[in-house]
Amino acid sequence: MPANRVPFVPPESPDLRAKPLPRKLPIVGSAPDLVPARMINEALYCERLLYLEWAQGEFADNAFTVEGRATHKRADQPGGTLPAPPTEATDDVAGKYTDAEPRVEEESGSDRPYQARTLWLSSERLGITAKLDVVEGDADGNVVPIEYKRGKAPDLPEGAYLPERAQLCAQVLLLRDHGYRCDHGDIYFAGSRKRVTISIDETLVATTLGAVARARRLTEIAEAPPPLVDSPKCNGCSLVGICLPDEINLLRGIEHGEMIEADDAAEPVAETAAMEDPAGDPWDLVGEPEPPPRPLRRLHPASDEKVPLYVQDQGARVGLDGDCLVVRGRQGPSVTARLPNTSHVVLYGNIQVSAQAMRALLERCIPVSFHSYGGWYYGRATGVESKNVELRLAQHRAAGDPAFCLRLARGFVASKVRNSRTLLRRNHAAPSLLVLSELEQLARKAEQANALDALLGLEGTAARTYFGAFTGMLKGEAGLSGVFDLDGRNRRPPKDPVNALLSFVYALLTKDFALALSAVGLDPLLGFYHQPRFGRPALALDLMEEFRPLVADSVVIGAINGGGFGPDDFQSHPSGVAMRPAARRRLLLAYERRMEQLIAHPVFGYRISYRRVLEVQARLLARCLLGEIDQYPAFRTR
């Protein structure tokens, strides 16, 4: 440096680093200014349903909601016109009775009454907004709103249940507020093809306005109301798989020490090797047997009728033909998959997707997962994800709480170790009592670990013990040939056929948990045990820990013992071992069969598929993060 040059020293300045977020993130604040008439209905029917739909933005279809949209198909086509109101509208809503000018239908005669469809009305004075299916009127300004309903007309003196009458009353109040004369409303029940007149009295008006205030209050509290208890209203509710009313009530009862009735309980079965071995319990591992699961109503479907589409033919193209995906490979015939029957699309390696197909997938919220040719999970493309920002805030807040993270991580690791132990007991020809004892002791230590680093060490020790006995679960020629001998776990890339199979299935399970968490509204990248790292689905890895032995390892063991794989299904190279395409196809089919297998949930007792279990566990984690339950219920088999 020249002698006359002086090094530049920047002046002292305040710290310009990014300001850290507060540990307690804000919660959703005030309610919207206008309450939809549909939410008035739900405030009187089920307050929890109102909160899930309006405050958290949750929604799911079932047969009844789809049928309801079909019933509204004609009413949802804007058209027609109404006469000018005979009286002046309120100042704050005058001239704002529709979002768009409706089309005017040609009238066959001058004496035909006025009719308009799909009118949006709002009133800041009332704090209500509504879409009116049909409104009929005459030249004198007398109008009648008509609300379409899917079901049959109930045999009631009032003509309909209170929630439906209040929803119609809100429409009547809006019409009055816009200057029209409206003394009553009608409900058309498509199931019985009957039009029922609903009278509007002061009591119904007061109830409707009270429901408006209650809906706003529930949203401002920012806390979901408790689920209904054994209510028939839950049957047929499209959000029952999101709400999980019976499951939440059961877990709350267990946390508060509720006892299970003897008539409802099955004989307890202790999950230990001591019950199977005449030597007794030399290491004192039996302890107190866990109570059996309390039987619950299964209100949601046991399995999903939709199936995933896997594409692994290199150079294949995925296009769109109507409502079908068409996969055209370099060789062989094309394959067609209907969009309504597709749960998600999985692409391996160099697969091209047309813009039209991608748009159709995103419009239907069908995720597309991208993997390397070897199965490494890169990421996903999806449509509009969950609108539940309240859950995202709760997840980020919990991730900043070391005590909460440690508590969850203890359960993940302990459940994984115990499920691994169960798999050895069930499948090993002669499980070593020493190995079973060590795994149980490691699970107990995991439940008492005081740091995440300690848990990592315990998990690693348990994995070495478990995989050291893994070969003993292989039977027949597979166990005697030596091709599938396993000398510990290795990866990136795997060094032997068994590790190649395990790595591929673990990637599939990671993908499915990432999709389930995203559908629930959680961020798969923000975990509690696995710390965040660029591109790593840490939360998916957290939840899949206890399912590794039950799903992934079980698939591999069953596929090998069933003779589905041989030495020719793998190719070796200097850096590792990889599966051939035909072998990977068979493994995909074996994995999907396992995911569709019905099992008894260890906590709730009903039978559902493993794929549905993934969603249920993700939603239970969400309820734990939102404070509805204190503990995440572990999934442990007996």
Side-chain angles (χ1 to χ4, degrees):
M1 176 182 296
N4 58 348
R5 293 287 300 274
V6 179
F8 173 75
V9 178
E12 293 186 2
S13 60
D15 192 355
L16 299 179
R17 292 176 297 175
K19 185 177 180 180
L21 289 174
R23 192 163 293 264
K24 186 174 182 179
L25 296 173
I27 293 296
V28 180
S30 60
D33 295 333
L34 301 178
V35 178
R38 174 63 184 168
M39 296 301 112
I40 297 173
N41 182 321
E42 293 179 359
L44 296 171
Y45 183 78
C46 174
E47 292 184 350
R48 184 175 176 86
L49 178 62
L50 158 76
Y51 191 86
L52 292 176
E53 278 201 33
W54 198 37
Q56 296 187 345
E58 301 282 10
F59 185 76
D61 267 324
N62 65 3
F64 300 123
T65 60
V66 173
E67 186 180 351
R69 280 200 298 273
T71 302
H72 283 78
K73 186 174 182 180
R74 185 174 184 275
D76 286 342
Q77 297 176 357
T81 185
L82 285 179
T87 59
E88 293 184 2
T90 308
D91 293 339
D92 60 340
V93 295
K96 300 180 181 179
Y97 63 91
T98 59
D99 285 351
E101 196 68 27
R103 297 195 305 269
V104 179
E105 295 181 331
E106 295 183 3
E107 299 182 3
S108 58
S110 58
D111 58 344
R112 179 179 176 181
Y114 291 92
Q115 186 185 81
R117 297 189 301 271
T118 311
L119 294 181
W120 282 97
L121 302 180
S122 299
S123 169
E124 295 180 3
R125 185 180 67 84
L126 296 172
I128 302 175
T129 184
K131 185 192 77 170
L132 282 67
D133 293 336
V134 177
V135 180
E136 294 180 349
D138 57 26
D140 296 330
N142 298 305
V143 296
V144 177
I146 305 173
E147 174 69 20
Y148 278 60
K149 294 297 181 183
R150 173 196 61 84
K152 296 182 179 180
D155 186 13
L156 296 172
E158 300 86 356
Y161 293 106
L162 178 60
E164 285 76 20
R165 290 189 286 121
Q167 182 179 358
L168 186 64
C169 178
Q171 300 177 13
V172 170
L173 294 177
L174 285 171
L175 288 167
R176 290 177 180 176
D177 208 52
H178 287 78
Y180 289 97
R181 288 194 290 268
C182 186
D183 299 327
H184 67 276
D186 290 352
I187 298 179
Y188 176 74
F189 292 95
S192 54
R193 296 186 177 182
K194 185 178 181 180
R195 180 167 164 175
V196 179
T197 298
I198 305 297
S199 60
I200 307 300
D201 55 24
E202 293 302 322
T203 302
L204 182 57
V205 171
T207 300
T208 302
L209 296 178
V212 173
R214 179 60 178 167
R216 293 181 57 84
R217 176 59 179 161
L218 288 172
T219 306
E220 291 170 350
I221 292 176
E223 181 178 345
L228 301 177
V229 179
D230 293 332
S231 173
K233 294 181 180 180
C234 300
N235 294 307
C237 177
S238 66
L239 267 66
V240 70
I242 299 174
C243 174
L244 300 176
D246 289 8
E247 291 85 347
I248 298 300
N249 286 327
L250 173 65
L251 293 173
R252 284 180 168 179
I254 292 175
E255 290 168 356
H256 291 84
E258 178 182 309
M259 299 301 294
I260 299 176
E261 297 292 337
D263 293 340
D264 295 337
E267 289 295 325
V269 179
E271 182 194 354
T272 62
M275 297 188 65
E276 302 175 357
D277 189 88
D281 184 20
W283 291 282
D284 189 24
L285 300 179
V286 175
E288 293 294 328
E290 296 182 2
R294 177 181 178 178
L296 290 183
R297 301 178 296 174
R298 182 178 57 77
L299 299 172
H300 46 85
S303 59
D304 193 349
E305 295 180 352
K306 298 181 179 181
V307 296
L309 171 64
Y310 292 91
V311 184
Q312 63 168 350
D313 187 7
Q314 297 305 286
R317 295 178 58 88
V318 181
L320 184 67
D321 184 7
D323 66 344
C324 295
L325 293 175
V326 180
V327 183
R328 296 182 175 88
R330 292 181 175 179
Q331 298 177 353
S334 60
V335 178
T336 302
R338 295 187 67 245
L339 284 170
N341 297 337
T342 303
S343 61
H344 60 277
V345 178
V346 187
L347 307 178
Y348 289 99
N350 298 318
I351 311 295
Q352 297 187 32
V353 184
S354 70
Q356 294 84 351
M358 182 63 75
R359 177 177 176 178
L361 290 166
L362 297 183
E363 284 178 347
R364 294 173 179 256
C365 293
I366 299 176
V368 182
S369 298
F370 296 91
H371 298 250
S372 69
Y373 182 71
W376 182 258
Y377 177 63
Y378 285 140
R380 73 190 188 283
T382 185
V384 178
E385 295 184 328
S386 172
K387 303 175 183 178
N388 194 347
V389 66
E390 182 180 339
L391 178 57
R392 289 290 183 99
L393 291 173
Q395 179 185 3
H396 283 260
R397 186 170 59 251
D401 184 352
F404 183 87
C405 292
L406 179 60
R407 188 177 67 185
L408 273 182
R410 286 170 177 167
F412 295 149
V413 174
S415 297
K416 174 187 177 180
V417 175
R418 287 201 168 96
N419 287 338
S420 301
R421 181 176 179 273
T422 299
L423 197 67
L424 282 175
R425 288 197 302 107
R426 290 179 177 178
N427 296 278
H428 201 287
S432 167
L433 290 179
L434 183 62
V435 171
L436 297 178
S437 171
E438 183 176 357
L439 290 176
E440 177 62 26
Q441 295 294 343
L442 289 170
R444 292 183 178 184
K445 290 180 179 179
E447 292 173 334
Q448 304 297 325
N450 56 8
L452 293 179
D453 291 341
L455 274 176
L456 288 171
L458 292 171
E459 183 191 10
T461 302
R464 286 191 296 272
T465 303
Y466 166 70
F467 284 111
F470 191 92
T471 306
M473 293 186 283
L474 306 181
K475 302 171 184 177
E477 289 188 20
L480 299 175
S481 63
V483 176
F484 297 103
D485 287 346
L486 182 67
D487 185 18
R489 179 79 176 103
N490 55 73
R491 55 188 180 136
R492 299 182 188 175
K495 303 297 190 297
D496 54 76
V498 174
N499 275 294
L501 295 171
L502 289 172
S503 294
F504 189 81
V505 180
Y506 287 158
L508 290 175
L509 191 57
T510 303
K511 174 262 301 180
D512 281 338
F513 260 113
L515 294 177
L517 291 167
S518 299
V520 168
L522 293 166
D523 185 355
L525 298 179
L526 185 61
F528 302 102
Y529 174 48
H530 294 82
Q531 294 303 295
R533 182 186 301 171
F534 178 80
R536 181 170 70 174
L539 186 58
L541 296 174
D542 282 355
L543 262 68
M544 71 177 279
E545 288 293 355
E546 54 193 5
F547 289 91
R548 286 178 185 264
L550 302 179
V551 175
D553 298 355
S554 179
V555 167
V556 172
I557 294 170
I560 295 176
N561 290 342
F565 294 91
D568 296 337
D569 291 319
F570 303 89
Q571 53 185 2
S572 300
H573 45 85
S575 59
V577 174
M579 285 186 293
R580 298 186 186 277
R584 180 161 47 192
R585 187 177 295 108
R586 293 197 299 272
L587 187 59
L588 285 171
L589 292 175
Y591 175 80
E592 286 302 321
R593 285 194 298 269
R594 181 65 170 174
M595 294 300 289
E596 293 304 319
Q597 181 180 348
L598 296 182
I599 59 165
H601 196 285
V603 179
F604 307 128
Y606 50 60
R607 292 177 63 81
I608 54 176
S609 68
Y610 266 114
R611 191 175 299 281
R612 184 68 70 180
V613 166
L614 267 57
E615 179 187 350
V616 169
Q617 294 299 114
R619 294 200 180 280
L620 291 174
L621 175 62
R623 297 302 161 201
C624 179
L625 294 174
L626 291 171
E628 293 193 47
I629 54 178
D630 294 335
Q631 301 286 339
Y632 169 77
F635 191 93
R636 300 176 185 173
T637 57
R638 296 173 178 267

